[in-house]
Amino acid sequence: MHAFSYQHGELYCENVALTNIAQEVGTPVYVYSKETILGHFLRLKEALAPLNAEVAFAVKSCSNIAILNLMAQHGAGFDIVSGGELFRVSKAGGDTAKCTYAGVGKTPAEIRYALEQGIYCFNVESIAELEAINAIAGAMGVKAPVAVRVNPNVEAGTHKYITTGKSENKFGVDFELILDIYRMAAKDLPHLHLKGLQMHIGSQLTQVTPFLEAVKKVAPLAAQLKEEFGIEFFSIGGGVGIVYKESLESGESKWWNDDCEQLTIDTYAKAVVPVLEPLGLHIIVEPGRLIVGNAGTLLTTCLYEKIGKAKTFKIIDAGMNDLIRPALYEGHHQIIPVKEFPADSKVQADIVGPICESGDFLAQNREVADVKAGDLLAVLSAGAYGFSMSSNYNSRPMSAEVLVDGDTWSLIRKRQTWNDLIEGESIPQ
Ligand code: LLP
């Protein structure tokens, strides 16, 4: 369930009217619901209970330390992809011993930092990286825990920019080469501890079939690696998709997935658990979007309306620098007014931001409420890869972030100022 709903004609997050947040903090602002975040996390934990699986939250999806702290308090592990993300986890009070570190381009400094922090495992993406980790661990006099990321060459059926498990993608190592690589590492790389096996086939998957195909293909390999090298875990990555369309219609908020013909948490768990359980391995999942996607909304104000020859534009104060998903992946986000409009008052319009790019739109040719200057809009399902992908493009300060908990809310990131924009810059003397 996501906790955004109309009450008395006004959009609320849990028991807080979004208008109040906008009045105090200004717009654009990201608003997250604690109840929704924990709801998804706990439902997933429960569905995977037969595996006693570790849920490692994908930090890249929403990396504010307040959100990471919330996950840590409820026992989550973390899927990280940079030294910066590891730093965030440690500052948020997360357990660095529960971090698995993926990514094709880890630097020597990042590898050293991760070893110092005692992370659970490196998810290694190439032979060259295995050798680099081995050398650094040797120099530090430690053994580095590693898992190789297997690329199972499975079609994920998602946008091409977020497909990661095909041979032509830069991620992981070809399935056919894995066994030889573990044998080589066991023989030649003495400073490595072969601890697990990992995969991640893509993001925003809306069918269970690719997951099932991938785990069925890779499970026998995991079993063999357990037998030969005593590996202890198998991480199946993240990727469970969410509902972006019609997640809030006619005043109702509903369980994000139960009413929709999409991949539900239960469908996912029922498919993968029977394949994974017999392995007797520690299983890790790495969800990001599933946990926070529907839990966040980007609140924005309509600045102007412009009626052109071909189109009507509603110009808002949030742009592609605040939410890049529509521009980058043609991502669809439902956009609704904060003050409820009659259902028959819709117009067809483009909702566009202030950035000097034609790609700066949050919706195109969309039937939207006929909002006017000053009206507030909520861009739904923006909790994952929303703020975390935002930038200062066009020298726009990054937005504020707020976490709602019941009838209270906290500012978890203050809006940047113009001074923040030039922080660290200097003019040569
Ligand atoms: N594990 C690994 C190794 C990953 O690379 C990712 C996401 C995840 C887990 C979490 O995937 P999720 O459960 O959130 O689907 N910016 C894009 C999505 C990029 C995903 C990158 N990797 C978007 O906005 O759709």
Side-chain angles (χ1 to χ4, degrees), residues 108-165:
E110 288 179 311
I111 293 168
R112 271 192 295 275
Y113 175 52
L115 285 170
E116 282 158 13
Q117 291 289 315
I119 62 162
Y120 180 69
C121 199
F122 290 95
N123 292 333
V124 178
E125 311 241 8
S126 63
I127 298 174
E129 187 193 327
L130 269 183
E131 290 168 347
I133 295 175
N134 179 64
I136 293 168
M140 290 172 69
V142 295
K143 265 197 174 225
V146 295
V148 178
R149 174 169 175 176
V150 52
N151 183 326
N153 196 23
V154 164
E155 188 55 71
T158 183
H159 191 279
K160 63 177 183 214
Y161 288 178
I162 50 178
T163 293
T164 53

Side-chain angles (χ1 to χ4, degrees), residues 210-231:
F211 286 116
L212 192 56
E213 197 185 324
V215 291
K216 277 190 174 159
K217 181 166 179 182
V218 177
L221 177 63
Q224 185 164 359
L225 295 174
K226 181 183 175 198
E227 171 93 22
E228 263 190 59
F229 306 103
I231 67 163

Side-chain angles (χ1 to χ4, degrees), residues 206-286:
T206 53
Q207 303 294 326
V208 78
T209 328
F211 286 116
L212 192 56
E213 197 185 324
V215 291
K216 277 190 174 159
K217 181 166 179 182
V218 177
L221 177 63
Q224 185 164 359
L225 295 174
K226 181 183 175 198
E227 171 93 22
E228 263 190 59
F229 306 103
I231 67 163
E232 65 186 57
F233 80 91
F234 177 27
S235 169
I236 62 167
V240 177
I242 63 166
V243 173
Y244 279 103
K245 295 192 183 171
E246 277 123 40
S247 49
L248 182 61
E249 277 294 315
S250 53
E252 286 168 45
S253 83
K254 43 191 177 184
W255 282 97
W256 71 278
N257 55 7
D258 292 352
D259 300 327
C260 306
E261 288 171 32
Q262 281 230 352
L263 178 58
T264 66
I265 290 175
D266 288 341
T267 318
Y268 172 72
K270 282 200 177 103
V272 298
V273 166
V275 188
L276 298 172
E277 211 176 356
L279 291 174
L281 284 165
H282 176 47
I283 300 296
I284 301 178
V285 288
E286 304 166 357

Side-chain angles (χ1 to χ4, degrees), residues 168-242:
E168 59 266 34
N169 301 132
K170 69 177 176 180
F171 297 100
V173 174
D174 291 323
F175 178 83
E176 295 74 16
L177 303 178
I178 295 284
L179 201 52
D180 282 347
I181 290 176
Y182 277 75
R183 286 178 182 155
M184 178 280 289
K187 191 158 73 64
D188 300 334
L189 304 175
H191 308 297
L192 301 182
H193 166 202
L194 300 175
K195 195 167 182 179
L197 180 68
Q198 195 259 359
M199 69 175 178
H200 170 73
I201 59 172
S203 196
Q204 184 53 17
L205 273 68
T206 53
Q207 303 294 326
V208 78
T209 328
F211 286 116
L212 192 56
E213 197 185 324
V215 291
K216 277 190 174 159
K217 181 166 179 182
V218 177
L221 177 63
Q224 185 164 359
L225 295 174
K226 181 183 175 198
E227 171 93 22
E228 263 190 59
F229 306 103
I231 67 163
E232 65 186 57
F233 80 91
F234 177 27
S235 169
I236 62 167
V240 177
I242 63 166

